Amino acid sequence: MTDDTNSTETSHISRLPDPAALTSGEFNRSRRTRLKILDAGVAVLARDGYKKLSTTAVAKQADITRAAMLYHFGSRSELIEAIIRHVTRRRIDMYTEAMEDLPHDDGFLERAVDIAWEQLQTPEFEAYTELSLASRTDPELRSVMEPALAAFDRARREAALGLFPRYLSDNVEFDLRRDIVRFLLEGVAQQDGITFNRDERVGAMLRFLKHLIGTEEGIALLRKVVAGAGQEGDAA
């Protein structure tokens, strides 16, 4: 991946300040400690949920004193804001790292679907889900989550533009294809409602997605939908 692609990929996510960044006069160990705290916060969220996220629990998970943690993040709300930014940036990094070496061959889209699903089975996505759901009824949390969600949405698209083969990213169905895969899979992962024959049903769903976005008949359907939306806009 070229330097230009890296620059494009980070243009939106960089709007979220790096919560582990060093300030003037700080040593690298301060950044390492902050990253350790933030990773511990992700682990606590994923394991115990939003309501049980506390500075005490995170300090214990990070194996540091609560006083040491409060030196870097002085309150629960400050810690949560930092975790939101951290997990958002981390998910983009994970996506880029997984996709950047993927061969641009006939199996590209199928592997991209597998990567999308695999990355929803991670503490980062579980933490994101906890924060997203809690923000629906918490205005203060929502005010921090909304810009993070917007930055993630745009940054992931820009990353895909640099990571996908041009014969895919230049097509009119590019965004629809991405949205179908992302939001269908995220919905399944968040709801966790497949309670019997899970492997069989998840496997069928993944095969359906791969067929929809990667075969001539599936792509024809996507293009028909996109064309229909354009015609509705013209009519309006």
Side-chain angles (χ1 to χ4, degrees), residues 4 10 12 15 41 57 75 82 84 112-113 116 119 128 143 145 153-154 156 165 173 182 187 210 213 218-219:
D4 288 342
T10 57
H12 282 283
R15 297 176 187 178
S75 65
I84 288 171
V113 171
Q119 294 200 341
Y128 157 85
S143 70
M145 277 295 290
D153 194 28
R154 290 184 177 274
R156 177 138 176 174
E173 73 276 5
R182 177 189 166 189
K210 293 171 182 179
I213 69 170
I219 293 170

Side-chain angles (χ1 to χ4, degrees), residues 109 167-180 212-213 218-224 226:
L109 284 176
Y167 72 85
L168 294 174
S169 61
D170 286 348
N171 288 334
V172 295
E173 73 276 5
F174 176 68
D175 284 328
L176 178 58
R177 175 193 282 124
R178 290 181 53 256
D179 284 344
I180 288 172
L212 178 61
I213 69 170
I219 293 170
L221 177 59
L222 296 180
R223 290 178 177 173
K224 183 177 180 180
V226 172

Side-chain angles (χ1 to χ4, degrees), residues 192-206:
D192 197 23
I194 301 181
T195 58
F196 63 91
N197 295 340
R198 179 176 177 82
D199 290 345
E200 178 183 339
R201 293 164 70 189
V202 169
M205 180 188 64
L206 294 175

Side-chain angles (χ1 to χ4, degrees), residues 117 120 178-190 205-206 208-209 212:
W117 179 245
L120 301 184
R178 290 181 53 256
D179 284 344
I180 288 172
V181 172
R182 177 189 166 189
F183 292 110
L184 190 153
L185 294 182
E186 284 190 2
V188 171
Q190 286 175 334
M205 180 188 64
L206 294 175
F208 166 76
L209 280 176
L212 178 61

